[in-house]
Amino acid sequence: MNEKYIELRTRSTFGDIINTYFLFLKHNFKAYTNLYLRYNVISIVLTLICSYLLVTGFMGLASRDFRFGMGSNVSSDNYLIAGAIILVLVVFITSLINYSFSSAYVADYVNNEGAIKSKRIWNSITGNIVSIILFIVIGILIYIAYGIISFIIAFIPLLGFLGRLGLNAILTAVFGITFMSIFSTKKSIGEAFSEGFDFTFSKFWRIILYGIVIGILNFVISGLLVLIPSVLMGIGTYFSVDSGIDIQTSTTATLFFTLWFAVVLLVFIFTQGLTQLSYGILYYNLYEMKYNTFLQEKIDQIGVND
């Protein structure tokens, strides 16, 4: 057993769950991040390409606007369109990876008392590929319905805004818990969604508050990760302008902005993975509170030892 293993199958209070999430990150952040990067190599490459195309397109448009249309061409528009298409592809692929990898990681962590192995995680993902595909299809349909409802209630002042936030929080919780149900208990997609909705609405306020707190914490983490490159970008931009360098046409500036934008995108994607990780931790707490299986197992072991 890993000496730093943190038992997630506990009947914890709200504060204890938050504390467990922090402890989990404290002891597993490096291992999780290293493995996460290995699973996201393709996404990282696509993100760099996407960032270059978008930055080049935006800077081309800015340069064209400053010159009042002089020397304009369609290349900037093509860069923007291509970059936007790849961006959608990146978000889709990485969302799928984040849900799958983070869920499989937490499940493997619990099942093997902290002794994570990449091969088991990969086998878990490939073994649930049919459920993952079905989840995507159902998820798209749900989000279409969510979009329609959001559009309708958008006309209601304040209540419409709050309603959209509430619906988004509910969907995030349902999707996160459903994915954990697939990887943890090997349920079918129908059973997993049923458990996701059941857990979400049976512990509604706990889950909503948990999502808000974790969202703020992950926002702080992402802000810290973006802080250094953002400061460097600001300093570089200031001295470039001060030195009279034309940022819109500078190759160095394009490269610098590309790397910065790529970092911002990758941090946003990574934060999404952390969010699913947090729902994995919450799932085991909710599961134990409802079914009490781990505690009963411990009690049975005591009876056998006696």
Side-chain angles (χ1 to χ4, degrees):
M1 177 178 173
N2 188 343
E3 293 181 358
K4 296 182 179 179
Y5 173 69
I6 302 168
E7 184 56 65
L8 305 181
R9 296 166 292 183
T10 58
R11 298 170 62 86
S12 304
T13 63
F14 180 80
D16 288 335
I17 303 174
I18 302 296
N19 186 53
T20 298
Y21 175 64
F22 268 111
L23 287 175
F24 187 88
L25 287 183
K26 177 181 178 181
H27 294 301
N28 298 279
F29 187 80
K30 182 178 179 181
Y32 172 82
T33 303
N34 289 339
L35 201 54
Y36 175 90
L37 292 175
R38 288 169 57 184
Y39 275 79
N40 281 275
V41 171
I42 296 177
S43 296
I44 293 172
V45 173
L46 288 176
T47 300
L48 288 171
I49 296 173
C50 164
S51 299
Y52 173 77
L53 292 174
L54 289 174
V55 168
T56 302
F58 276 121
M59 294 183 74
L61 288 177
S63 177
R64 188 168 63 193
D65 289 341
F66 281 125
R67 294 168 185 170
F68 302 99
M70 295 176 59
S72 64
N73 54 63
V74 297
S75 61
S76 297
D77 298 331
N78 291 336
Y79 279 132
L80 283 174
I81 294 172
I85 293 173
I86 296 178
L87 178 60
V88 173
L89 182 63
V90 167
V91 171
F92 178 78
I93 292 176
T94 51
S95 296
L96 179 60
I97 292 175
N98 283 337
Y99 272 112
S100 302
F101 170 73
S102 296
S103 300
Y105 187 95
V106 177
D108 193 65
Y109 178 87
V110 170
N111 294 335
N112 298 280
E113 298 185 326
I116 298 291
K117 284 191 177 181
S118 177
K119 185 177 181 180
R120 285 199 301 262
I121 293 177
W122 177 252
N123 290 337
S124 179
I125 294 174
T126 55
N128 289 289
I129 192 65
V130 175
S131 295
I132 293 172
I133 293 173
L134 290 174
F135 177 90
I136 294 171
V137 174
I138 296 173
I140 290 174
L141 294 176
I142 292 176
Y143 261 109
I144 290 175
Y146 164 74
I148 295 173
I149 295 173
S150 296
F151 177 77
I152 294 174
I153 66 176
F155 296 99
I156 306 175
L158 185 59
L159 289 178
F161 173 74
L162 295 176
R164 291 199 303 275
L165 288 180
L167 285 174
N168 184 65
I170 291 172
L171 287 182
T172 301
V174 170
F175 286 171
I177 294 173
T178 298
F179 234 86
M180 274 309 306
S181 183
I182 294 172
F183 282 89
S184 175
T185 56
K186 309 299 181 183
K187 285 183 170 63
S188 66
I189 188 65
E191 294 172 329
F193 262 111
S194 177
E195 187 169 65
F197 278 100
D198 178 45
F199 281 177
T200 300
F201 288 100
S202 63
K203 300 291 182 181
F204 183 78
W205 289 113
R206 168 178 284 217
I207 290 178
I208 294 300
L209 289 175
Y210 180 84
I212 293 174
V213 173
I214 292 299
I216 294 173
L217 294 176
N218 286 341
F219 177 78
V220 172
I221 292 174
S222 63
L224 292 175
L225 292 175
V226 173
L227 180 61
I228 295 177
S230 296
V231 170
L232 292 176
M233 186 200 70
I235 294 174
T237 302
Y238 172 79
F239 282 108
S240 296
V241 173
D242 190 58
S243 301
I245 298 175
D246 186 359
I247 296 179
Q248 285 79 27
T249 58
S250 171
T251 302
T252 302
T254 300
L255 178 61
F256 194 73
F257 280 112
T258 296
L259 292 176
W260 174 79
F261 189 59
V263 169
V264 172
L265 286 177
L266 290 173
V267 169
F268 167 77
I269 292 167
F270 181 68
T271 304
Q272 187 185 55
L274 291 180
T275 299
Q276 180 57 21
L277 199 69
S278 69
Y279 277 108
I281 294 172
L282 176 65
Y283 171 82
Y284 279 102
N285 174 258
L286 296 174
Y287 190 89
E288 184 63 21
M289 289 185 69
K290 181 171 183 177
Y291 298 107
N292 218 29
T293 53
F294 182 70
L295 179 59
Q296 186 61 49
E297 182 182 314
K298 290 297 183 182
I299 293 174
D300 294 340
Q301 288 179 357
I302 293 174
V304 172
N305 293 334
D306 290 342

